[in-house]
Amino acid sequence: QNINEYVAAFIALKQKMIDGDRLLTEYQQKCTDILYFPVKISALRCQVEQMLQKILPLEKCQEELGFLKAELEEKKVCL
């Protein structure tokens, strides 16, 4: 019976080692992900800046189009 207890204890210990290795691997992956977050954030900020640079001229064009439309409406009324 002692051998059966040792085998059971060995199997339980082996499973705990496997579980521990799995948890350690997951933890290391999360640490790696966290270290990579600043790079991702920087890239996203760059994309936002690029989009803003594209949007600002479009907003000016839209404003100018509004003024031109108002002018055309005035001329249309006069005609």
Side-chain angles (χ1 to χ4, degrees), residues 67-79:
F67 288 133
L68 288 173
K69 185 177 177 182
E71 274 185 45
L72 286 173
E73 286 296 325
E74 286 179 27
K75 289 181 179 179
K76 182 178 172 183
V77 169
C78 291
L79 291 175

Side-chain angles (χ1 to χ4, degrees), residues 9-73:
F10 175 75
I11 291 172
L13 180 60
K14 188 173 181 180
Q15 186 60 47
K16 286 182 181 181
M17 289 173 62
I18 291 169
D19 292 344
D21 286 345
R22 181 183 49 82
L23 289 172
L24 182 60
T25 301
E26 289 176 10
Y27 174 76
Q28 289 172 335
Q29 182 61 46
K30 287 180 182 181
C31 288
T32 301
D33 290 346
I34 288 171
L35 291 174
Y36 188 63
F37 283 159
V39 174
K40 288 182 179 179
I41 290 170
S42 178
L44 289 172
R45 283 185 178 149
C46 185
Q47 288 177 351
V48 167
E49 287 297 321
Q50 290 174 351
M51 292 301 291
L52 286 174
Q53 289 175 1
K54 290 178 182 178
I55 288 173
L56 289 175
L58 292 174
E59 287 177 340
K60 287 183 179 180
C61 286
Q62 187 176 15
E63 187 178 330
E64 288 178 22
L65 283 173
F67 288 133
L68 288 173
K69 185 177 177 182
E71 274 185 45
L72 286 173
E73 286 296 325

